[in-house]
Structure formats: structure tokens, C-alpha cells
Amino acid sequence: MLPFGVIRENRIVLGEDVALWAMAPPWAVSVTLAAVVAGLAMGLVRSRQWLRFAGSLVGVGGIVLTLTIGARALLADAGELARVSPAIGFWLLLLALLLLMADALSAMRPGPGARFAILVGLLGAFGALLGSGALMDLSVMQEYAGRAASFWTAAQRHVALAIGSLAAAALVGFPLGILCHRRAKARGAVLPVLSLLQTIPSLAMFGLMIPILSWVGASVPGARAIGIAGIGFAPAFLALFLYSLLPVVSNTVAGLGTLPPATLEAATGMGMTTRQRLMRVELPLALPVILAAIRIVLVQNIGLAVIAGLIGGGGFGTFVFQGLNQTATDLILLGALPTVLMAIVAGVLMDICVDLTRRAPKGAAP
């Protein structure tokens, strides 16, 4: 009963809500209602998880069909600057169906290979939908069409911020975590400092980086030449790096601290040196816990990188804050939706990696 779509005279003015039954021709509305009802009904069959998963796909297909057909129909009688966007009814239906999909997949408990295949299949279907041009009548896709080059530049910058800061934190955090595991004094000095950094709000952290790196860029010869300045990529990268350290260091300490003493004694009894025991026994056994930290950091950094747009760091946050300044909702979505998708995909891929490291070798005792 909630509005399914919104039609506006241009990209920034308030629009007129459109109900589902007025969104598209009757046959398309009928297909959508049938698909949603069928999908939710299939979702009630608790004993057949694959049927619940299929139901979520049927429902999503139905609401997307009406949205695409309805957008074309609404724009046919509107002006050249008119825009059509999904409304609250569409988003709530989509959320309910995606929650059904996630619940079904969680109950199915597919293995790493099956999860990867499902992820590839869903991304492939989404890519085919985008490539078909069926969504191009929607306002968010028109925002993309006018900013295609800058969108992919922002995507590259977002990935560089999120993954680059994680890689730097791993290079520093893993050795630091090993040191903290072996030296109680180091652990007592390092972890409280990293915990304090983690409590600083993200906006405050980005703000603190501005005067620090402004001074470095002005005082250190060659610093400005390599991009170190008060605004831009450098302060955003440094802030994300500092936020990443605590999960990496603490999970490295936790992973190494939970290893069975008998296993370590056996490795020592076999004549392994300290370095050999670390590389061949301790780190492989602690790898699931360490990868869990990397998953946390990666998803966290993908989200926090949006705030980098405030200080000229680039990324999808550029569109989010431009949209806020222009009161252009669909420009905000152009930055927010890819960020959400990127975080979900990264989380699933890292979960697969964690699961692979936890699987017992073939022939091993359970």
C-alpha cells in the first residue's frame, strides 16, 4: 500500500508518489503481485530452503519488472528533465525479499564452492540486468550516465583506500601482533593505544589528519610531491590505516594465544626453530582468526572510505556528499548503493576464505 515509485519534474524537486497499481500497465502489476505473493508463500516452507531461496528470486524479479516497465511508462508523458525513482514500497519489498534470501542461504549452509558459485551467479544476473539497459530510465542510472567516467575513477579510488589501507595495516599489524603475543610488556603498551584510536569518531579522525599532514607536506622536503597534504588521498588513507590496526593486531594476538600447548610442544620436540614453528605451525593454525580480522577491517574500511569524500579523498563518498549538497537523492544513491554492494561482496568472499582455512585436511581425524 506504500508508494512504489516517485516521479519528479527534475532531479532535485520533490516528486509525486505513485502507487504500485498506477506504476505500470495492469498486466505488469498483476505479474508483480503474483511474483511477490508466490515468493513470500514459498518462503514460508521452512523444510525446503532451496524453495525459499527460489521464492526470493521470483519476488525480486517481479518488483524489478514493474519498476522498469513503470519508469518507461511514466516518463513517456513527462518532460525531458523528468525523473523516476523507486519509493519506500519498492525498497521495503526488496529488503524483505533479500532478508528471505539471506535466511534461506544461512539455513542451507552451502560450502565455500557453492557460496562462491551463488555469488557469481547473482552478480552475473545483476550485471546482465545493468548491461541490458532495462534500468536506464531510472534516475540513479541517469545520474550514472552523466558521470560514468568519474564513477569508475571514484570506484578505483574507493578500492585503493579500502584495500590499500588494509594491506598497510597487515604489513604493520601482523609483526606487531606477533610481538605483542610474545612480549606481555609490548601488549600492555600497544593495545591500549590502538584501542584509544578506535574510539575516536571517524569524522574527528579525518579532521585530525588535516593539520598533521598539512604540516608534514609543508615541512618535509618532497612530501607534497608524493601527494602528502592536508586534504586528499593521504589523510583519508592514514585515518583508515589507523582504524585498521586494532582488529589486525588484537586478532593476531588472540589467534596465536588460543593454540593448543601440546601442538607447540610437539613442534618444538621435532626440532623446529622459533621461526619455523611460527611459520609452519602457529600462523597456519591461527589463520582463521586472523582472516576474520581482515574481514572486519575490509568491510569497515569500505564503509568508512565514504567519509573520505568530505576531505577530497575521492571514492563513492564524493557522490554522497555532492548529492547531500544538491538535495539530489539519486546522486546520493549513486555513491551509497555501490558501497553497500562492495561491502556485501567483500564480506562473503572473506567468509569463504575463513571457511576454507577452517576445513580439516583430507584424511585428518575429525
Side-chain angles (χ1 to χ4, degrees), residues 131-147:
S132 69
L135 301 179
M136 289 307 298
D137 289 320
L138 296 178
S139 182
V140 65
M141 294 305 297
Q142 293 182 34
E143 296 284 358
Y144 166 77
R147 298 171 173 81

Side-chain angles (χ1 to χ4, degrees), residues 5 27 51 99 108 158 168 206 251-253 270 288 293 326 335 340 342:
W27 70 266
L51 187 64
L99 287 174
M108 289 167 63
H158 206 98
F206 281 97
N251 275 42
T252 302
V253 173
M270 293 174 62
Q326 301 173 20
V340 173
M342 187 186 299

Side-chain angles (χ1 to χ4, degrees), residues 3-366:
F4 194 81
V6 178
I7 182 167
R8 300 191 298 271
E9 293 182 2
N10 56 58
R11 61 193 292 269
I12 61 175
V13 300
L14 294 176
E16 178 184 351
D17 293 335
V18 182
L20 173 61
W21 51 85
M23 187 79 184
W27 70 266
V29 175
S30 300
V31 169
T32 293
L33 290 174
V36 171
V37 171
L40 295 178
M42 294 162 69
L44 296 177
V45 185
R46 300 289 299 179
S47 59
R48 297 287 187 271
Q49 300 302 330
W50 62 269
L51 187 64
R52 301 177 70 223
F53 177 72
S56 67
L57 295 178
V58 170
V60 169
I63 62 174
V64 170
L65 173 68
T66 290
L67 183 67
T68 55
I69 294 176
R72 188 174 301 113
L74 291 173
L75 290 174
D77 299 326
E80 294 183 359
L81 300 178
R83 296 290 184 94
V84 174
S85 305
I88 184 65
F90 172 85
W91 292 117
L92 288 180
L93 279 173
L94 181 63
L95 175 62
L97 292 165
L98 291 181
L99 287 174
L100 172 60
M101 181 187 299
D103 185 60
L105 288 173
S106 176
M108 289 167 63
R109 296 182 180 179
R115 268 183 286 169
F116 183 75
I118 291 171
L119 177 64
V120 171
L122 292 176
L123 290 177
F126 182 62
L129 179 64
L130 290 177
S132 69
L135 301 179
M136 289 307 298
D137 289 320
L138 296 178
S139 182
V140 65
M141 294 305 297
Q142 293 182 34
E143 296 284 358
Y144 166 77
R147 298 171 173 81
S150 59
F151 177 87
W152 291 109
T153 300
Q156 294 173 8
R157 178 62 64 90
H158 206 98
V159 170
L161 282 170
I163 297 181
S165 59
L166 170 60
L171 289 174
V172 175
F174 290 153
L176 195 56
I178 294 170
L179 176 64
C180 290
H181 168 67
R182 293 181 174 175
R183 301 284 188 269
K185 289 184 178 180
R187 183 164 60 251
V190 171
L191 290 182
V193 173
L194 297 182
S195 298
L196 177 63
L197 291 174
Q198 200 76 13
T199 62
I200 301 175
S202 54
L203 280 175
M205 178 68 83
F206 281 97
L208 289 173
M209 296 298 106
I210 294 176
I212 294 173
L213 293 185
S214 293
W215 178 84
V216 172
S219 304
V220 178
R224 192 171 294 275
I226 61 174
I228 297 178
I231 60 173
F233 182 84
F237 184 92
L238 181 58
L240 293 176
F241 165 76
L242 294 176
Y243 273 128
S244 305
L245 281 177
L246 178 63
V248 173
V249 174
S250 61
N251 275 42
T252 302
V253 173
L256 294 174
T258 56
L259 301 181
T263 302
L264 303 180
E265 292 174 4
T268 303
M270 293 174 62
M272 289 187 181
T273 64
T274 302
R275 183 177 180 278
Q276 288 174 331
R277 190 179 76 172
L278 174 67
M279 301 303 296
R280 298 182 184 180
V281 178
E282 295 181 59
L283 287 180
L285 291 177
L287 190 58
V289 179
I290 295 174
L291 286 179
I294 293 177
R295 179 194 181 281
I296 293 170
V297 172
L298 182 56
V299 174
Q300 167 189 279
N301 284 5
I302 290 172
L304 287 176
V306 172
I307 304 176
L310 275 176
I311 59 173
F316 291 131
T318 302
F319 302 125
V320 172
F321 294 109
Q322 285 179 358
L324 289 172
N325 291 332
Q326 301 173 20
T327 64
T329 305
D330 293 296
L331 184 54
I332 298 173
L333 291 178
L334 184 62
L337 293 178
T339 303
V340 173
L341 179 63
M342 187 186 299
I344 292 173
V345 171
V348 172
L349 290 176
M350 288 307 304
D351 282 338
I352 291 173
C353 293
V354 171
D355 193 48
L356 286 173
T357 59
R358 286 176 176 162
R359 294 167 68 89
K362 292 182 179 180

